[in-house]
Amino acid sequence: MGLVNWARMGLADAGPGFRSTVSGIAILMAGAAAITLGVPAAKAQQAAQPATGQHADQKKKADEKTAAEGTLLDKILVISRTGETAIQSLASASHVDQEQLERRMATTPNEMLLGVPGVTVQADARRVSSSINIRGLQDFGRVAVIVDGARQDFQRSDHGTQSIFYVDPELIKSVDVIRGPVANTYGSGAIGGVVFFDTKDAEDFLKPEETWAASVTGRYETNGKGWTTSASGAYRFNENWDALGNIVHRDYGDYKNGGGDTVAGTGFDVLSGLLKTTIRPSENSELKLGWVGSSDGWTETSGGVPANDVDLKSNTFTARYNITDDAKSWLDLHINASYNKTVLDLTTLVPQNRFDPSTGLPVLLPAGSLSTFDVGTTGIDIWNTSRFETAGIAHELTYGGDWVGDDVETGGTAGADSFYTPSGKRNVSGAYIQDKLTWEWLEVIAGLRYDSYSLKDTDHETSGDRLSPRITVGVSPFESAALAGLQFYGTYAEGYRSPSLTETLISGNHPAGVTFPFLPNPNLKPETGKTVEFGVNYKQNDILEAGDALRLKAAYFNNNVEDYIDGVTLSAFDPTSGCPFGPGIPICFQYQNFAKAKINGFELESVYDTGWGYAGLSASIINGHTISYEGERADLASIPSSQVTAQLGLRFLEAKLTVGGEVQYNGKPKGNPIAKDYTLVNAFASYQATDNLKVDFRADNLFDVKYTNPLNGSSTAVIYEPGITLKLAATMRFGG
């Protein structure tokens, strides 16, 4: 189906609010145009005229460099342990840089990851707390979410998302994604993959000649009538020491969906901050110390009525040290240490009829009752890469180890929500060795990882360990100019995820709605992900004109997750189920192992870039189901929409003005009871009016489509996503 047809589908699905927002579009566009036209006419005329002489040659070279070296797939992956780019990686890897993040004017992590193949974000109505899904796997650590090297392991179990995190997009300069268990050098449990958020640095903010710089951003969004204000400041003490600070405040009301209905409980008030300093003790060493924090507040609803007031405070402290020898040969040592503390307080706003989790008897939860979720995560990650040659074969030998400890404390009044997340401690550690061998047209990556875990509460304790291999073979068989950049690879990789505290230890009676028992399962087996992947990378320059660039990555994967863990309902009438008769309805709930979850799919990411514009196309097609030990198949509820995303951008006025849009088609997952096909259309414009003034405009869900995220099918109510949202922002910068 073509892009024009997708756009027509989006227009056909337009909600009743579409026409009423046309005037709003006109007003905001007029405002942006007024600022644009306010730039001195002489500058505009000069920019519009064709460059001549030496200036033309310089501009042409700059455009060629922008296209041939500036595509997203050519950016070095921060998450890479060997300093490779996404297009060089023999894995399904993606990079989102700061320019793209600014273009998306993201308010939530979901908007940051738009169009990244295989990645979907679930947020329920709680937009400030998100859970990332990679290739149909999410929650309980299946996807490792990392901010500046710190694992984000906060968990609050409920009917919706489980493993949630919050990071303000305004603080982020890039996002790296590695899909599949090939990411197992980045910590235990990531059988789905890794998402690494890298925060801003002073050296990215300061110009080479500046000692200090500051900026202020103001932004307004029409849907929810939300305001974002951000202030940044950086200072260079000397050439070996700099620091940066950033503070962000967001104040948003409840948004309207594509049908024009207000979605209760979607407003929030967030204050976030970042402090970061970089010290370079020597020419070959660097120390980064950082803090990222946020104070969030929002209201949860039940049946459209405010039910709970939520206050969340998160603080992440990180230290990252790197030292190399002069040639980065035998020594390229990294030491990362982190501590993340997240505390969520949930206060009831109205009296609620509940059940005591211990007795199953009715209790009244009075207004003002407090539930607390306190999760502390400590981590250390050490690795070194040695580079050398033997018999003409180049080696990149990476070896290291990591440890993560989670300390979970929950509590509150009997019948409160903290029941779903039991207290306890979990320790996960691992060590690995991986060698990347390169010989002319052949690359081979061989790795082995050892994982171990232990978790316990006052009544239970369990542990386990395993070895997980990885082997990847890549070939570049062609020498002709047109095919020299073509590379094929195949991978077999395994990953190991330990059960979480909730999956293993939850017990007691369901406290809300109706009551029934939860059964603990200390005998849960860990999950083992076994993935086969075949992929292709293609890199070519000077295709249609001098200096242009084409980059393409595509992969087919087949992931068998053995002993997959999911919740099951047991009948008290079945004497073999172990479900006792008790108060409430005659069922029990327990997390149990399935024989396997089978997930397969195809992913594509491509971009064509030249000095005056770019075009991108990404796609993700995914299917999955579980198989019980008795051989029964069932659709996997965590399978997201299959997606195709097209992007187009044009640069004018010596690249000061960029305009473009995005079209995304989303296909209904098989067996999902709430999902439908839908198409989203977005538009954007960014104008660098002067060196110190930048204006951005964006329209999301331009045709006001009413749609829902299929992953919210596990929620108690269908939650529709925002309708048309117009965003206008201005950034002023100063420096000296």
Side-chain angles (χ1 to χ4, degrees), residues 202 206 210-212 234-244 276-280:
L206 293 165
E210 290 180 335
T211 301
W212 66 273
Y235 189 81
R236 182 180 285 123
F237 299 94
N238 54 54
E239 62 181 8
N240 295 319
W241 182 21
D242 54 45
L244 176 137
K276 197 172 186 181
T277 185
T278 302
I279 304 169
R280 304 168 188 86

Side-chain angles (χ1 to χ4, degrees), residues 199-475:
T199 60
K200 296 177 179 178
D201 287 290
E203 63 182 350
D204 302 311
F205 190 68
L206 293 165
K207 296 179 181 179
E209 70 279 4
E210 290 180 335
T211 301
W212 66 273
S215 72
V216 179
T217 298
R219 188 170 95 203
Y220 177 72
E221 299 186 21
T222 59
N223 198 348
K225 298 180 180 178
W227 285 96
T228 296
T229 53
S230 173
S232 302
Y235 189 81
R236 182 180 285 123
F237 299 94
N238 54 54
E239 62 181 8
N240 295 319
W241 182 21
D242 54 45
L244 176 137
N246 194 183
I247 187 168
V248 186
H249 180 237
R250 298 184 188 270
D251 188 1
Y252 286 73
D254 293 341
Y255 67 71
K256 292 184 178 181
N257 61 35
D261 300 317
T262 299
V263 181
T266 56
F268 57 90
D269 189 310
V270 179
L271 181 65
S272 303
L274 163 70
L275 291 175
K276 197 172 186 181
T277 185
T278 302
I279 304 169
R280 304 168 188 86
S282 67
E283 184 178 352
N284 297 325
S285 62
E286 183 178 78
L287 173 65
K288 290 180 182 289
L289 302 174
W291 164 80
V292 179
S294 64
S295 176
D296 310 340
W298 65 94
T299 299
E300 293 182 346
T301 62
S302 177
V305 178
N308 301 305
D309 184 52
V310 183
D311 180 71
L312 182 145
K313 290 181 172 58
S314 176
N315 290 280
T316 299
F317 302 90
T318 57
R320 294 188 283 174
Y321 180 69
N322 173 227
I323 185 170
T324 71
D325 56 30
D326 289 338
K328 280 192 177 182
S329 55
W330 289 96
L331 181 66
D332 190 359
L333 177 65
H334 297 256
I335 303 174
N336 293 353
S338 63
Y339 178 70
N340 174 257
K341 179 79 164 180
T342 303
V343 179
L344 185 148
D345 293 334
L346 188 150
T347 306
T348 60
L349 297 176
V350 294
Q352 300 177 16
N353 293 314
R354 295 292 188 97
F355 297 95
D356 189 306
S358 300
T359 66
L361 298 176
V363 296
L364 178 67
L365 202 64
S369 297
L370 180 67
S371 297
T372 60
F373 303 79
D374 187 327
V375 180
T377 300
T378 307
I380 187 166
D381 187 6
I382 303 174
W383 78 92
N384 183 62
T385 299
S386 298
R387 300 170 176 87
F388 55 94
E389 287 192 9
T390 59
I393 299 175
H395 296 261
E396 288 183 281
L397 182 65
T398 303
Y399 42 95
D402 47 72
W403 169 81
V404 173
D406 293 327
D407 189 352
V408 181
E409 295 183 9
T410 60
T413 309
D417 293 63
S418 56
F419 156 78
Y420 296 103
T421 309
S423 300
K425 297 180 184 294
R426 185 180 75 143
N427 291 290
V428 178
S429 59
Y432 57 88
I433 184 169
Q434 175 178 286
D435 193 12
K436 179 180 179 181
L437 303 91
T438 305
W439 177 78
E440 295 183 355
W441 49 268
L442 176 67
E443 289 184 38
V444 177
I445 301 173
L448 189 65
R449 179 181 175 89
Y450 170 76
D451 286 298
S452 68
Y453 78 94
S454 66
L455 59 86
K456 63 181 179 179
D457 65 359
T458 55
D459 301 318
H460 306 90
E461 184 171 357
T462 184
S463 62
D465 62 353
R466 191 180 190 276
L467 284 171
S468 301
R470 175 201 176 176
I471 182 71
T472 299
V473 178
V475 295

Side-chain angles (χ1 to χ4, degrees), residues 561-620:
V561 183
E562 296 183 354
D563 300 315
Y564 181 77
I565 300 172
D566 203 356
V568 298
T569 301
L570 307 174
S571 172
F573 296 107
D574 182 356
T576 65
S577 69
C579 177
F581 277 96
I585 59 177
I587 64 169
C588 295
F589 183 91
Q590 186 182 47
Y591 286 99
Q592 294 187 356
N593 291 108
F594 286 72
K596 63 180 62 178
K598 295 180 67 68
I599 305 172
N600 61 75
F602 170 80
E603 294 164 350
L604 168 72
E605 185 173 14
S606 62
V607 60
Y608 173 78
D609 202 333
T610 186
W612 49 266
Y614 67 89
L617 182 68
S618 64
S620 174

Side-chain angles (χ1 to χ4, degrees), residues 17-30 104-105 107 111 219-227 252 255-256 681-684 696-704 722-729:
F18 176 61
R19 288 195 179 98
S20 65
T21 58
V22 171
S23 60
I25 297 176
I27 292 171
L28 287 180
M29 288 295 287
R104 291 174 180 172
M105 302 177 70
T107 303
E111 294 166 327
R219 188 170 95 203
Y220 177 72
E221 299 186 21
T222 59
N223 198 348
K225 298 180 180 178
W227 285 96
Y252 286 73
Y255 67 71
K256 292 184 178 181
V681 179
N682 309 320
F684 61 85
D696 292 283
F697 170 78
R698 185 173 179 89
D700 284 328
N701 194 0
L702 191 58
F703 295 135
D704 212 20
I724 183 169
T725 304
L726 309 179
K727 306 177 182 180
L728 182 64

